[in-house]
Amino acid sequence: MDRPSLAPIALSGGDFSLSDLDIDSLSTYEIIMQLEDEFGIDIPPVALASAASLADLVAAVTLAVDAKA
């Protein structure tokens, strides 16, 4: 899997759209699958479909991790 480069983006606590990070829907799916495997969580497909920003992905992972605890 090609990893998007974050070098041109200054991560200053702001939110970034996935398209700004060159993350398309297939890449988003692959990221979610890796996170599910890594943390043993299940992220609902609706969260994946509605994720438009990095904050959306973080929120979906946070909810899934909290639900597992």
Side-chain angles (χ1 to χ4, degrees):
M1 176 174 112
D2 292 332
R3 295 176 188 228
S5 173
L6 299 179
I9 300 171
L11 296 177
S12 61
D15 192 16
F16 301 99
S17 74
L18 296 178
S19 62
D20 287 345
L21 298 172
D22 291 327
I23 299 174
D24 60 14
S25 59
L26 178 58
S27 295
T28 302
Y29 178 77
E30 291 172 341
I31 291 167
I32 294 297
M33 295 302 295
Q34 289 178 344
L35 290 168
E36 287 180 335
D37 289 345
E38 180 70 25
F39 295 107
I41 57 175
D42 291 312
I43 299 173
V46 69
L48 177 63
S50 64
S53 69
L54 187 56
D56 294 340
L57 289 180
V58 170
V61 171
T62 301
L63 285 174
V65 169
D66 289 347
K68 182 182 174 186

